[in-house]
């Protein structure tokens, strides 16, 4: 307790010390902090007494710092500079109308980052701060304005708006298919290296669930290659390391560029949907309709080769 009281008393004297040291004058330093020359001199004597070190060399109408004073002045100046930077950041964040957009790593990497220009056009005049959080894409403290998530959020106190379902089918690189293909039926997958993401949420569909849709199961001796996030799973797939279960709404860019291909016509549609979510006690202070319509237009349309009804943008 004594140390805390000592430090508080020292902290009380530091602004006066900094002003006097910077101006090299008790009189000029006092003018900055609203004290007389004698009051500044008294406070500096108190500070020196508490620290056990002389801080100033006092000459006629002139002061200079001792080595101890110079050390304290540099440390205080550094801390003050960091405090000013933090204050400026906080003030600018408030004034520039920042939107904190929360989503999963995969949604961010595959859906939003490739089209940043279009994303920014959905929120004109606003700064977008993208936060990624797995598995559902919702920053758990609720410090976000809008979230793009998949499946009904587990977190209470959220308003949601459903967007569209996803389509799941095997994907691989053209090089892998050339080397290991052709794949003519679903059972041919069991001869391939199957890349998978470890399920982190009930909404996630893996190989076992997908194969059971076609009356198949993984052999007990099969040991697929696993990852703890979908981004790494797809990176391995792009590198020709195996076949991944493709969430086609996310992978549209790679399918269009033929970096990935769909070797089989079989697919399943998810029961869960992508959702927009926001805290129910804090209605977004900006229109979300442009973002919603862009998502529906860009990712909710029919996918060639997989004849499911497209999601029409809301008007």
């Amino acid at each position: 307790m004594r140390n805390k009281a000592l430090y508080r008393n020292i902290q009380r004297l530091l602004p006066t010390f900094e002003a006097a040291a910077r101006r090299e004058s008790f009189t000029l330093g006092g003018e900055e902090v609203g004290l007389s020359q004698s009051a500044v001199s008294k406070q500096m004597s108190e500070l020196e007494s508490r620290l056990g070190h002389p801080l100033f060399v006092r000459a006629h109408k002139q002061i200079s710092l001792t080595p101890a004073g110079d050390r304290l002045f540099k440390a205080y100046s550094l801390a003050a500079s960091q405090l000013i930077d933090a204050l400026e950041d906080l003030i600018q964040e408030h004034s520039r109308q920042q939107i904190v957009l929360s989503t999963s790593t995969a949604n961010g990497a595959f859906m939003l980052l490739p089209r940043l220009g279009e994303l920014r056009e959905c929120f004109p005049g606003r700064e977008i701060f993208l936060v990624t959080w797995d598995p559902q894409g919702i920053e758990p403290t609720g410090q976000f304005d809008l979230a793009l998530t998949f499946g009904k959020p587990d977190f209470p106190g959220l308003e949601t708006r459903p967007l569209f379902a996803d389509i799941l089918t095997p994907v691989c690189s053209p090089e892998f298919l050339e080397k290991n293909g052709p794949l003519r039926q679903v059972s041919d997958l069991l001869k391939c290296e199957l890349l998978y993401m470890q399920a982190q949420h009930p909404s996630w569909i893996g190989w076992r669930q997908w194969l059971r849709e076609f009356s198949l199961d993984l052999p007990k001796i099969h040991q697929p290659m696993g990852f703890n996030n979908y981004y790494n799973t797809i990176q391995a797939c792009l590198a020709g390391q195996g076949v991944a279960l493709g969430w086609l709404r996310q992978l549209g860019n790679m399918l269009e560029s033929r970096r990935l291909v769909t070797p089989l016509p079989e697919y399943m549609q998810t029961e869960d949907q992508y959702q927009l979510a926001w805290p129910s006690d804090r209605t977004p202070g900006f229109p979300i309709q442009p973002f919603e319509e862009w998502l529906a237009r860009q990712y909710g349309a029919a996918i060639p080769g997989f004849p499911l009804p497209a999601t029409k943008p809301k008007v």
Side-chain angles (χ1 to χ4, degrees):
M1 293 296 294
R2 180 179 178 277
N3 284 341
K4 289 184 178 180
L6 174 63
Y7 292 147
R8 282 197 295 269
N9 287 328
I10 289 175
Q11 289 173 349
R12 172 178 58 84
L13 302 170
L14 290 178
T16 304
F17 164 77
E18 188 277 336
R22 177 167 40 80
R23 300 296 299 271
E24 298 182 340
S25 167
F26 287 169
T27 301
L28 297 177
E31 290 177 358
E32 285 195 14
V33 296
L35 295 174
S36 65
Q37 184 274 340
S38 60
V40 172
S41 179
K42 183 178 179 179
Q43 285 194 9
M44 294 305 95
S45 295
E46 180 185 352
L47 180 59
E48 290 172 322
S49 175
R50 292 186 180 279
L51 293 176
H53 292 278
L55 302 176
F56 296 96
V57 176
R58 294 164 173 82
H60 181 65
K61 294 185 179 181
Q62 185 177 2
I63 60 171
S64 60
L65 290 172
T66 65
D70 184 63
R71 179 181 175 186
L72 180 60
F73 178 69
K74 289 178 179 177
Y76 185 90
S77 298
L78 177 61
S81 176
Q82 292 174 339
L83 177 60
I84 290 172
D85 289 343
L87 291 171
E88 287 182 349
D89 287 343
L90 290 171
I91 292 171
Q92 289 177 10
E93 285 177 8
H94 176 73
S95 63
R96 68 193 171 206
Q97 296 181 309
Q98 184 183 77
I99 295 175
V100 179
L101 179 58
S102 182
T103 194
S104 68
T105 303
N107 288 346
F110 298 136
M111 299 175 77
L112 302 183
L113 293 183
R115 291 184 165 88
L116 274 181
E118 297 174 28
L119 173 63
R120 291 175 65 88
E121 290 177 359
C122 296
F123 307 101
R126 306 262 182 166
E127 177 186 318
I128 301 172
F129 186 81
L130 186 64
V131 176
T132 57
W133 202 277
D134 294 317
Q136 279 200 294
I138 297 177
E139 203 283 322
T141 67
Q143 300 302 308
F144 66 92
D145 300 301
L146 190 63
L148 172 62
T149 183
F150 182 81
K152 187 171 180 59
D154 292 337
F155 297 89
L158 294 179
E159 295 288 337
T160 60
R161 186 172 296 177
L163 296 171
F164 40 77
D166 211 330
I167 299 169
L168 306 186
T169 192
V171 296
C172 62
S173 69
E175 295 78 13
F176 179 89
L177 186 61
E178 182 177 356
K179 182 179 179 180
N180 298 277
L183 303 180
R184 294 189 174 90
Q185 53 192 4
V186 174
S187 59
D188 290 340
L189 292 169
L190 303 182
K191 299 180 293 184
C192 298
E193 181 72 56
L194 298 182
L195 309 172
Y196 78 97
M197 190 196 93
Q198 183 181 32
Q200 299 175 356
H201 189 268
S203 63
W204 185 260
I205 297 172
W207 277 116
R208 290 190 184 279
Q209 185 176 350
W210 191 89
L211 287 169
R212 284 170 184 161
E213 289 288 314
F214 303 95
S215 302
L216 290 173
D217 203 349
L218 288 173
K220 293 183 179 180
I221 60 172
H222 189 78
Q223 295 181 331
M225 183 71 184
F227 303 86
N228 71 340
N229 68 68
Y230 193 54
Y231 177 81
N232 288 342
T233 307
I234 294 303
Q235 292 306 307
C237 189
L238 288 167
Q241 299 302 306
V243 182
L245 192 54
W247 294 64
L248 298 192
R249 301 295 187 196
Q250 293 186 4
L251 303 180
N253 291 333
M254 298 177 194
L255 296 172
E256 291 174 7
S257 63
R258 298 287 296 175
R259 295 174 65 197
L260 291 176
V261 295
T262 54
L264 293 169
E266 285 81 5
Y267 63 92
M268 67 176 288
Q269 183 178 12
T270 63
E271 293 183 5
D272 286 313
Q273 294 183 307
Y274 291 90
Q275 311 249 358
L276 288 181
W278 60 90
S280 55
D281 62 348
R282 192 173 69 251
T283 303
F286 51 89
I288 66 173
Q289 185 175 355
F291 184 47
E292 181 182 10
E293 292 178 352
W294 175 73
L295 288 170
R297 185 171 59 250
Q298 187 63 54
Y299 297 107
I303 298 175
F306 301 92
L308 294 175
T311 299
K312 295 181 180 180
K314 295 182 178 181
V315 294

